[in-house]
Amino acid sequence: MRAPHGRYFSCTTVCTSKCNSTRHVIGKLSPSGLKDVVVEAALSTIRTARTPVAAVDAQDKVLVYRNWLGLMTGDLEETFEKGGSTRTRRLNADKTFITPAGQPGALAGRSLQLVRNVGHLMTTDAVLDANGDEVPEGFLDAIVTTSTPLHDVKKPDGPRNSRTASIYVVKPRCTARQKRPACE
């Protein structure tokens, strides 16, 4: 089995794919048969759970968490109408190929997903404590966004977010101006 897109070359920051086909309308014009070069450089993507950006109320927060779950389980997809036809978008599959040495290889079809949690000072009505008060949103984010990737880490097979069984969280630092007991 040869690579569906030709030869793959990779380094630590960019992956390129050289696509050859002397039967393709463009490839047949090139002495080498080159018809396309694909460059992929989005190695990581930071998803945000921060209130001012992605979620302004409890209902929005649930959507943020649902999308994060779909990314970690690998089944996130959306069907919508565009130009009079129905389209479905889903996560890309990994690209498999045979290396020049004849060994199987694979490139991730998706960038590594990190999640940015909200800071310590915000509260949310998504969860209320025993007194009916909003809970600290940073605590809720920490619980949900670190437990959700366990689906990815414990997945027996299929595409994964982490190849090292890691969970990636970006947590805002607490500055002196924001200092509260939760930061100490």
Side-chain angles (χ1 to χ4, degrees), residues 11-150:
C11 63
T12 56
T13 57
V14 177
C15 169
T16 63
S17 170
K18 177 181 163 195
C19 307
N20 289 42
S21 173
T22 54
R23 287 176 277 178
H24 187 272
V25 67
I26 294 174
K28 68 182 174 186
L29 298 175
S30 169
S32 68
L34 180 66
K35 71 173 181 111
D36 202 359
V37 175
V38 177
V39 178
E40 298 180 34
L43 300 180
S44 65
T45 304
I46 299 176
R47 303 292 173 182
T48 189
R50 293 174 58 203
T51 303
V53 178
V56 294
D57 58 20
Q59 194 172 16
D60 287 344
K61 201 66 169 175
V62 169
L63 290 174
V64 168
Y65 293 151
R66 183 175 292 137
N67 285 341
W68 183 239
L69 175 63
L71 287 166
M72 295 299 103
T73 58
D75 61 5
L76 181 66
E77 73 175 43
E78 182 66 27
T79 300
F80 57 94
E81 295 286 327
K82 183 176 181 180
S85 63
T86 301
R87 298 176 185 217
T88 300
R89 294 231 170 112
R90 60 184 54 88
L91 300 175
N92 290 332
D94 288 347
K95 296 172 181 150
T96 58
F97 58 95
I98 303 298
T99 67
Q103 300 299 314
L107 294 172
R110 302 143 323 280
S111 62
L112 176 66
Q113 302 294 310
L114 296 84
V115 65
R116 177 184 291 120
N117 288 347
V118 73
H120 300 295
L121 304 181
M122 306 286 293
T123 59
T124 181
D125 62 340
V127 175
L128 304 177
D129 67 14
N131 298 324
D133 297 322
E134 296 180 352
V135 299
E137 192 170 358
F139 294 167
L140 180 60
D141 276 355
I143 292 166
V144 175
T145 62
T146 58
S147 59
T148 303
L150 293 175

